Amino acid sequence: MKTIYQIFDAKQPDGTWFKAYQVPEELDLPPGYINLGPPDDLINPRFDYQKGWIEDEEALLEGLKQENKELKDRLNMTEGAL
């Protein structure tokens, strides 16, 4: 078995840009699929056919905004308790 990746043109509702499938080794690669997985160091990987795997900066920024909001909320709760 080998892993292939279906590449989407738009971000999916779950925030992903691809889906991995396990297929038999002898299966030819269908159009819209690649056999190169994303690097482990990418938090929100997206595949660009000219650049390869890149970070989805928009998703990364949204995640940081959410984390910042949660930290501010926790800080406000802590300051209110003092």
Side-chain angles (χ1 to χ4, degrees):
M1 297 293 277
K2 65 180 179 180
T3 304
I4 63 172
Y5 302 86
Q6 180 182 15
I7 304 301
F8 303 124
D9 292 332
K11 187 186 305 187
Q12 301 303 292
D14 66 357
T16 61
W17 288 88
F18 67 95
K19 183 170 183 175
Y21 295 94
Q22 292 292 317
V23 298
E25 288 287 338
E26 62 274 5
L27 183 73
D28 290 334
L29 206 56
Y33 290 75
I34 61 171
N35 58 4
L36 174 67
D40 292 335
D41 63 333
L42 294 180
I43 298 171
N44 296 295
R46 179 171 67 96
F47 190 78
D48 181 299
Y49 283 98
Q50 295 180 349
K51 298 178 183 176
W53 287 104
I54 59 173
E55 190 71 63
D56 179 11
E57 300 292 337
E58 180 182 318
L60 185 60
L61 182 59
E62 287 303 314
L64 290 173
K65 284 181 181 179
Q66 180 64 29
E67 184 179 353
N68 188 34
K69 180 188 177 308
E70 291 169 3
L71 289 171
K72 283 182 180 179
D73 291 345
R74 286 177 33 200
L75 180 62
N76 288 338
M77 285 179 20
T78 303
E79 287 178 349
L82 297 177

